[in-house]
Amino acid sequence: MHPRVKIPKTRAEISLEFLNRILSPHQLQVLGFETVTDSKFARGCLSDLVRLELTVQKYSDNNAPLEKLGLVVKTVPSNPSIRSYVLSKGYCQNEVQMYTKVLPALNDFLNSQGVSQANRFSFPKCYFGEEEEGNRDEDYNFFLTLEDLTGSKHTFWDEGAKKSFDWEHSSAAIKSIARFHASTAAYKISKGFRLYEEEFPKFLKHTVDDPALDNYIATGFKATREVLMEGEIPEGLLERLELMETNFKTIVQKMQIDVDEKSVNVVRHTDLHFFNVAFLHDVNDNGVEATWFDFQNCSEGSPMSDLAFLLMLNCEPEFSTGQLDKSLELYHQTFMEVVKETKVNLDYPFEKMREEFSRYRLPSILHIISGSLMWSCGPDCNSVSRDRLRRAIIYAFNNGELNLPDFV
């Protein structure tokens, strides 16, 4: 257990004494530290980020050589308006819960079932996580101290939207999220609870009643129409797009926010974009492993919602169109290998999974469209990202996957 400490409210309050107290349970003595600035670690706006480089020594051996330890510290946004928004939505509270309760519980469960390392999902190590709650936004504070993945030689997708994941990186990303999904599904079954929020009450409560969403919908659909009209488009697609925009909130509420308890449900990451993953290249066998991070948006629902979003937003278009079965088969095989090792009874045949993917392409495309100015056709994007969006929408339309659901 970590000793109870008062957590810093500003970067300036991070002291040598504080770092020693939170790292003592890890048998580490901090001899010095410095702040490292790097724009690659400040892309998000749901929390403030700072990188620290520590000089440490292991308690167990006074003669042990000094080592460097990189940490990423996440704190409440300093911008007052952003702070108020993210706290009202529960992003900070959700991520603290994920790192300090959900991920450790999953890890303990996998250990208890003897699941092999080959079937584990990787995530940044959390050295310390704590929050201070209050009745007002200004009273709330949290502090997460996480492994700096660059210290373990992970690399990030610096090209962002401008370059699609090739199969080497797509397959690594697919396997990683499949292991995460399978672990969460098996854990829930083994514990016997109906919904994840019964055990972890701070899971994000997504809602369509958000004024900010209205702006995302309007600007996202406008930008998407412009992208589609850059080339030839199927007859009726623009009219279908108009219906999708009109019924956006109804579809998202029913298919992404409400949990269908009759289906296979998992903890979804819900934000599987190119800046939330790191890749580790194994020099011995040339393999690649993927580590997903940034768990602020996690919620319960269909795993196919995550997978469809991942494939359409990040990967070369073939992997969600002509070579879709290749992607789905890899996901399904990986998912079921984890389930088998956990020894739980879960019936999830490939045919059912494929049908669910086809169904959840619609809400996933709506998700991508609403954020298209960030992910597909904004100032940090290019012809590659625009083409990826265009092809995903046209393929889904031609295959009848953009038909409005019966409940609309």
Side-chain angles (χ1 to χ4, degrees), residues 74 92-112 117 120-129 144-147 149 176-177 179-185 187-188 191 193 196 199-200 203 266-269 272 276 291-299 306:
K74 305 189 78 168
C92 300
Q93 301 91 323
N94 193 29
E95 186 159 41
V96 173
Q97 175 180 255
M98 283 299 298
Y99 275 111
T100 62
K101 292 183 170 58
V102 180
L103 294 175
L106 292 172
N107 201 45
D108 289 344
F109 167 68
L110 296 177
N111 287 339
S112 70
Q117 198 60 42
R120 302 292 188 99
F121 66 95
S122 63
F123 55 91
K125 179 177 180 178
C126 180
Y127 287 91
F128 175 81
L144 278 175
T145 308
L146 307 173
E147 168 192 8
L149 293 173
S176 179
I177 201 61
R179 291 175 185 135
F180 175 67
H181 286 163
S183 299
T184 65
Y187 179 82
K188 176 181 170 182
K191 296 297 181 181
F193 52 85
Y196 251 91
E199 184 161 335
F200 304 106
F203 265 126
V266 302
V267 176
R268 299 175 301 190
H269 184 282
L272 296 176
N276 282 344
T291 298
W292 291 100
F293 52 90
D294 277 1
F295 293 99
Q296 301 103 320
N297 277 283
C298 285
S299 60
D306 254 359

Side-chain angles (χ1 to χ4, degrees), residues 61-79:
D61 185 358
N62 292 331
N63 296 317
L66 301 183
E67 300 177 8
K68 295 294 184 181
L69 175 66
L71 299 178
V72 173
V73 172
K74 305 189 78 168
T75 57
V76 179
S78 53
N79 182 297

Side-chain angles (χ1 to χ4, degrees), residues 213 217 221 244-252 366-367 370:
L213 180 59
I217 294 171
F221 272 88
M244 288 164 56
E245 181 176 4
T246 301
N247 294 281
F248 182 102
K249 291 185 177 181
T250 302
I251 296 169
V252 169
L366 292 179
H367 187 183
S370 66

Side-chain angles (χ1 to χ4, degrees), residues 44-219:
C45 65
L46 301 185
S47 59
D48 282 358
L49 305 178
V50 61
R51 290 180 64 209
L52 301 177
E53 186 175 89
L54 281 58
T55 302
V56 301
Q57 187 176 43
K58 294 179 180 176
Y59 277 133
S60 57
D61 185 358
N62 292 331
N63 296 317
L66 301 183
E67 300 177 8
K68 295 294 184 181
L69 175 66
L71 299 178
V72 173
V73 172
K74 305 189 78 168
T75 57
V76 179
S78 53
N79 182 297
S81 60
I82 297 176
R83 175 191 180 99
S84 178
Y85 178 75
V86 300
L87 292 182
S88 68
K89 303 294 286 185
Y91 291 119
C92 300
Q93 301 91 323
N94 193 29
E95 186 159 41
V96 173
Q97 175 180 255
M98 283 299 298
Y99 275 111
T100 62
K101 292 183 170 58
V102 180
L103 294 175
L106 292 172
N107 201 45
D108 289 344
F109 167 68
L110 296 177
N111 287 339
S112 70
Q113 301 303 103
V115 175
S116 64
Q117 198 60 42
N119 279 324
R120 302 292 188 99
F121 66 95
S122 63
F123 55 91
K125 179 177 180 178
C126 180
Y127 287 91
F128 175 81
E130 194 73 72
E131 62 182 343
E132 296 172 346
E133 300 186 77
N135 296 323
R136 302 172 302 170
D137 287 347
E138 53 265 35
D139 296 329
Y140 181 86
N141 191 25
F142 88 98
F143 198 94
L144 278 175
T145 308
L146 307 173
E147 168 192 8
D148 183 352
L149 293 173
T150 57
S152 52
K153 304 192 184 304
H154 283 78
T155 58
F156 296 88
W157 199 254
D158 292 331
E159 295 90 345
K162 296 179 179 178
K163 183 178 179 181
S164 305
F165 292 176
D166 55 21
W167 179 245
E168 183 179 44
H169 293 85
S170 295
S171 60
I174 292 168
K175 288 188 288 187
S176 179
I177 201 61
R179 291 175 185 135
F180 175 67
H181 286 163
S183 299
T184 65
Y187 179 82
K188 176 181 170 182
I189 292 170
S190 72
K191 296 297 181 181
F193 52 85
R194 187 175 60 89
L195 294 171
Y196 251 91
E197 64 183 29
E198 295 173 15
E199 184 161 335
F200 304 106
K202 293 185 179 179
F203 265 126
L204 206 64
K205 303 295 190 298
H206 291 286
T207 176
V208 294
D209 298 323
D210 184 346
L213 180 59
D214 294 331
N215 180 63
Y216 278 114
I217 294 171
T219 58

Side-chain angles (χ1 to χ4, degrees), residues 264 302 304 307 324-325 328-333 335-336 347-360 401:
V264 172
S302 170
M304 293 300 98
L307 183 61
L324 174 60
D325 277 356
L328 295 184
E329 287 166 0
L330 176 62
Y331 177 95
H332 188 261
Q333 178 184 355
F335 185 100
M336 296 311 297
D347 183 27
Y348 197 35
F350 177 80
E351 293 75 16
K352 179 180 180 181
M353 192 198 78
R354 197 186 196 292
E355 183 277 326
E356 288 184 356
F357 182 93
S358 179
R359 182 153 38 96
Y360 279 94
E401 295 171 340

Side-chain angles (χ1 to χ4, degrees), residues 18-30:
F18 172 77
L19 292 172
N20 269 303
R21 292 191 68 183
I22 67 172
L23 291 178
S24 61
H26 302 279
Q27 298 299 303
L28 292 174
Q29 180 183 11
V30 185

